[in-house]
Amino acid sequence: MKRHLVTRSILAGAVHVCWMLPVAAQDGGTEMVFGFSQGLETSDNLDLDPVSQGSTTFASTGLSFGLTRETRLDRFGLLAGGVLRGVSGPGADSGLDNQSLDLSYGREGANAAFEANAGYLQTNIEFLEPLDDITDDDGQIDLPPDLDELSGTGNRERYAAGVALELGRDAPVGASFSADYVAFRYSDTTDPELSDNDLSEAESEVRFRLSPVAVARLGLGYRLYEAEDAEQTRRDTSRGYAGLSVEVNPVLRLDADLGYASIDTREFGVTEKSSGLEALLRLERDMPNGTVTAEAEQYVTDDGTIRTFTAGRSLELPRGALSATLGAADSDTGQSEIIGSLSWSQELPRGGINAQLQRWVDFDEDDGNVLRTALLLDYNHEINGLSSIGLKAGYTVTDEAGGSTDLASFTAQYKYALTEDWSLDTGYRYRMREQLAGTRAQSHAVFVSIGREFRVRR
């Protein structure tokens, strides 16, 4: 029962630096990657106002640097970059944007592992494309915590750091510990709901291998959220649990947790307490072509206790996978909601497609328990050895007590290899934002850019 707010870096903009951690060869070594891009974009409503202030054209020059050093035991990574923009038109100013720095270190032994990371990301909100990247490292939908408030103009900074340690992976007694810190800072914003906030989390777990097929767990967690909003919010959350994982037979697995949570929330100098039992029961059965799952869970939030039940089925397809879950969620307010998910990925002869749909009850730090729906579609097709096209669409809906917020984006992109080193990207982008009883805001943009990477191996 480790429920926490997940935040992610959003590296987005009209024409931006986009990189992946360079992979040193399996036999280790050092690799450096230098990136360069030059682009031009025109948007008819850059800051996505209900009434457009006019068209904006901007040129972007992006520079990036990546360093990876890998040995048989450890790995070090450094990423840095930025974009220099020249802007003509309303909605933004010229200057340096998308300034980023990421450091990571990992070390793995025969029975233990250690990871540490730290990062900084600065972005101008008017150039953010948050729906372009709403998946985590495992490819699952993961929305930024401030997604619904990222409108208008302003500056957004994200600071993050984390460590994780695992001991005794295969030993009779093992333990794990993790700590994470994420902070958001906003300046010159037009949306009054954006406020500086800090989130700190720490979790620890001790595992006891009772037999070759059974593992018992004891865990503790602490979470602190502080915001410089009008309420001067401070939320302390403490959790403890005991759990058991059992391989009932070669095809059936059982996971069960039972715990207790206590939440203290202070707003306007007044503290309110929430507490209660938390529980999780999950069954998973292997099938000839996938798995079947059933899961029941109860967890405590500052806005009341939430109970969920879902059943799922996953299928292994030729060159693809399909999975679905369906269930219900209710809370102390007595309101029940249908929840579930659908995920389909397929390799095609000259490309691939990925589609995801998810509906779930979530806790929002500002709005309490909310109902979220997210849809993601991603399609790529290789025309020939030199060119390809890509289509990407995202859509999210957040339903809360005060109304709903709908966000949508669609991008069509054409890529062409000019030479062995240089590439050309051009395309069209659509964005939409609509709030209940509000006017729909839309924007249309076209863009073109060229770029290349220089790799040095040692």
Side-chain angles (χ1 to χ4, degrees):
M1 282 175 301
K2 304 175 182 177
R3 314 200 59 87
H4 27 216
L5 180 67
V6 179
T7 55
R8 291 177 50 81
S9 301
I10 308 172
L11 293 177
V15 180
H16 61 276
V17 177
C18 179
W19 51 30
M20 295 180 64
L21 188 65
V23 179
Q26 296 299 317
D27 58 352
T30 300
E31 183 176 57
M32 292 182 289
V33 181
F34 301 85
F36 168 81
S37 67
Q38 180 65 55
L40 184 68
E41 179 166 342
T42 297
S43 172
D44 66 352
N45 188 6
L46 179 62
D47 44 359
L48 208 58
D49 287 330
V51 179
S52 174
Q53 302 301 309
S55 296
T56 304
T57 300
F58 50 92
S60 304
T61 301
L63 296 174
S64 65
F65 171 74
L67 169 67
T68 299
R69 179 173 177 80
E70 184 176 353
T71 69
R72 290 183 299 114
L73 295 178
D74 59 4
R75 178 186 176 94
F76 171 79
L78 180 150
L79 299 171
V83 174
L84 181 63
R85 287 196 179 94
V87 181
S88 174
D93 297 320
S94 301
L96 189 61
D97 192 20
N98 278 17
Q99 303 171 70
S100 64
L101 175 64
D102 286 282
L103 298 170
S104 63
Y105 176 77
R107 184 177 180 86
E108 187 164 352
N111 209 28
F114 172 78
E115 293 182 358
N117 62 80
Y120 169 79
L121 173 64
Q122 173 276 327
T123 48
N124 287 325
I125 293 174
E126 55 268 31
F127 291 106
L128 276 173
E129 303 292 345
L131 293 185
D132 278 0
D133 185 12
I134 57 173
T135 58
D136 59 19
D137 294 337
D138 297 323
Q140 302 301 308
I141 290 177
D142 180 19
L143 303 182
D146 54 357
L147 174 67
D148 294 330
E149 288 76 42
L150 290 175
S151 63
T153 61
N155 186 64
R156 176 183 187 262
E157 294 177 287
R158 178 184 185 271
Y159 302 84
V163 294
L165 175 66
E166 185 177 9
L167 301 172
R169 280 180 176 172
D170 303 317
V173 178
S176 61
F177 170 81
S178 65
D180 295 282
Y181 172 76
V182 178
F184 287 94
R185 299 290 182 264
Y186 305 95
S187 58
D188 303 322
T189 57
T190 55
D191 193 320
E193 296 187 24
L194 290 171
S195 56
D196 296 351
N197 61 83
D198 298 74
L199 175 64
S200 304
E201 294 181 292
E203 295 183 350
S204 61
E205 183 180 81
V206 179
R207 298 179 301 277
F208 305 91
R209 189 169 298 276
L210 306 178
S211 73
V213 296
V215 176
R217 302 181 301 274
L218 292 175
L220 294 173
Y222 176 75
R223 185 176 188 273
L224 173 62
Y225 173 80
E226 296 178 292
E228 295 295 326
D229 52 11
E231 298 87 351
Q232 290 294 295
T233 303
R234 176 188 170 100
R235 183 173 294 113
D236 293 83
T237 303
S238 300
R239 284 188 163 90
Y241 65 92
L244 181 66
S245 296
V246 179
E247 187 176 324
V248 181
N249 58 48
V251 299
L252 181 63
R253 291 170 295 279
L254 167 69
D255 288 294
D257 287 347
L258 181 63
Y260 187 83
S262 176
I263 305 174
D264 293 341
T265 301
R266 187 182 67 195
E267 295 179 330
F268 298 113
V270 179
T271 301
E272 295 185 356
K273 296 180 178 293
S274 303
S275 60
L277 290 175
E278 296 189 318
L280 170 69
L281 180 64
R282 176 182 171 84
L283 286 168
E284 182 178 56
R285 180 180 176 84
D286 293 333
M287 305 294 286
N289 60 347
T291 60
V292 174
T293 60
E295 181 177 300
E297 185 176 16
Q298 174 176 298
Y299 56 96
V300 178
T301 74
D302 182 54
D303 210 20
T305 300
I306 296 177
R307 293 164 290 274
T308 66
F309 174 78
T310 57
R313 178 75 164 98
S314 66
L315 295 172
E316 297 176 0
L317 305 176
R319 304 183 67 185
L322 175 67
S323 64
T325 64
L326 183 63
D330 73 343
S331 62
D332 290 343
T333 61
Q335 184 176 4
S336 298
E337 301 288 353
I338 296 176
I339 60 174
S341 64
L342 179 66
S343 177
W344 175 50
S345 62
Q346 186 69 49
E347 293 184 19
L348 303 175
R350 306 185 70 173
I353 186 169
N354 177 46
Q356 293 188 61
L357 173 65
Q358 187 171 336
R359 179 182 170 93
W360 73 104
V361 175
D362 192 18
F363 177 75
D364 185 275
E365 297 289 355
D366 296 321
D367 303 312
N369 295 339
V370 299
L371 179 65
R372 299 193 192 276
T373 304
L375 172 66
L376 173 66
L377 298 172
D378 194 356
Y379 170 76
N380 293 283
H381 175 71
E382 183 179 334
I383 300 173
N384 52 46
L386 297 176
S387 60
S388 64
I389 59 172
L391 304 175
K392 177 177 284 190
Y395 180 69
T396 65
V397 181
T398 301
D399 293 304
E400 55 186 276
S404 64
T405 301
D406 293 37
L407 302 173
S409 72
F410 171 77
T411 302
Q413 190 170 14
Y414 172 77
K415 297 183 179 182
Y416 182 77
L418 298 172
T419 68
E420 184 177 347
D421 300 318
W422 290 89
S423 63
L424 169 72
D425 292 352
T426 184
Y428 162 81
R429 180 181 294 112
Y430 168 80
R431 295 183 297 151
M432 185 276 292
R433 177 185 177 88
E434 184 175 21
Q435 292 181 297
L436 189 65
T439 304
R440 173 177 292 189
Q442 302 180 90
S443 77
H444 305 266
V446 292
F447 59 89
V448 60
S449 71
I450 59 172
R452 71 163 295 177
E453 286 185 345
F454 309 85
R455 295 179 177 269
V456 178
R457 281 285 314 277
R458 295 182 62 186

